[in-house]
Amino acid sequence: MNGLIKIGNQEISVKEFEGKRVVTFMDIDMVHERPEGTARKRFNDNKKHFIEGEDYFVRKTDEAKSEFDIVAPNGLVLLTESGYLMLVKSLKDDLAWQVQRQLVKSYFAVKEFKSQELSPQLQLLINMELEQKRQAEKLEEVEGKMDSIREVVALSPTQWRKDTSNLINKIALSMGGYEHIRAIREESYKLLEQRMGVALNIRLTNKKKTMALNGICKSKLDKLNQLDVIADDKKLVEGYIAIVKELAIKYGAA
């Protein structure tokens, strides 16, 4: 027992058992101002409705003495909040309602809950809510990944330059910033050369020479790059699209 709580004009000692606040028949008779034995009789009359371990606990005489310093020759019944509320249903005068409210608010109410003090049912509900939240977060994460994968898969051969450029930008961001774009493009060209057996720089030089012979001005020639070479060959386009997709997966952009 630890401390006293005033209910109406009476004070009762705080008693706890297995992490729950409990009251005795004597406590109930006292705060409800009923003759001694009233609460016990009401309990015995309706005992079939009470669940031991949930609505009440029973302590033997020696246990009552050692645990609560209460002399109980016939054993001690300890009512939980649910047991108390069930028992006082039969006490219907105005005082009973007032005392019931005070007991629930001032005695049974716990200001700070700990998870181990919650009922198994409440813990289960909390755990279910947490698990649903985790599942929702996982689903959202998966949906985000699926969107990225769909975006990669949907690269269009007709606007491949724009699509691959956007994807390379995403890869760069996943690596830390746009300053990685140049390195990613160089890697994509190197992989394309290895896989397709071509030399993009040689093809680019030859393309510039041919265009120069055809009278294309130097400013336009200077703007040519490896992508213009790739655009001239359908197989290189297909190979380049596949490589950029692979890089997106490799660097976690898809």
Side-chain angles (χ1 to χ4, degrees), residues 29-41:
D29 287 339
M30 181 172 61
V31 297
H32 282 276
E33 299 181 11
R34 297 301 175 101
E36 184 178 346
T38 301
R40 179 181 294 276
K41 184 178 186 308

Side-chain angles (χ1 to χ4, degrees), residues 69-186:
D69 196 25
I70 294 176
V71 178
N74 299 317
L76 180 67
V77 174
L78 303 169
L79 292 171
T80 64
E81 181 178 4
S82 62
Y84 164 74
L85 290 174
M86 290 173 66
L87 187 143
V88 296
K89 284 183 178 180
S90 59
L91 306 176
K92 296 182 179 179
D93 54 40
D94 289 341
L95 177 61
W97 287 107
Q98 295 172 18
V99 171
Q100 178 180 331
R101 183 180 297 276
Q102 289 182 54
L103 264 172
V104 170
K105 283 191 172 183
S106 304
Y107 182 81
F108 287 111
V110 180
K111 301 301 181 184
E112 296 181 0
F113 287 101
K114 297 179 181 178
S115 60
Q116 61 267 29
E117 294 175 341
L118 300 176
S119 68
Q121 295 87 348
L122 187 53
Q123 287 190 51
L124 178 61
L125 288 174
I126 292 173
N127 290 336
M128 287 175 63
E129 287 188 9
L130 290 174
E131 181 61 25
Q132 288 175 352
K133 183 179 179 181
R134 283 192 290 266
Q135 292 295 335
E137 290 173 350
K138 287 182 180 179
L139 182 60
E140 185 176 349
E141 180 181 350
V142 170
E143 288 177 346
K145 290 181 178 179
M146 289 301 295
D147 287 340
S148 296
I149 292 172
R150 280 192 288 267
E151 183 178 340
V152 170
V153 173
L155 288 183
S156 171
T158 58
Q159 53 179 12
W160 64 273
R161 293 186 72 149
K162 177 183 177 182
D163 289 348
T164 55
S165 178
N166 290 337
L167 193 51
I168 286 173
N169 289 343
K170 288 187 66 176
I171 296 171
L173 287 175
S174 72
M175 296 174 66
Y178 289 121
E179 64 271 16
H180 297 283
I181 290 176
R182 183 181 181 84
I184 298 166
R185 285 200 179 278
E186 290 178 354

Side-chain angles (χ1 to χ4, degrees), residues 1-16 21-23 27 30-31 68 70 102-103 106-108:
M1 293 187 288
N2 42 42
L4 298 171
I5 289 183
K6 188 170 184 178
I7 305 294
N9 298 319
Q10 307 292 335
E11 287 185 339
I12 61 172
S13 60
V14 176
K15 292 175 280 292
E16 293 184 354
R21 289 275 176 95
V22 291
V23 291
D27 291 331
M30 181 172 61
V31 297
F68 301 99
I70 294 176
Q102 289 182 54
L103 264 172
S106 304
Y107 182 81
F108 287 111

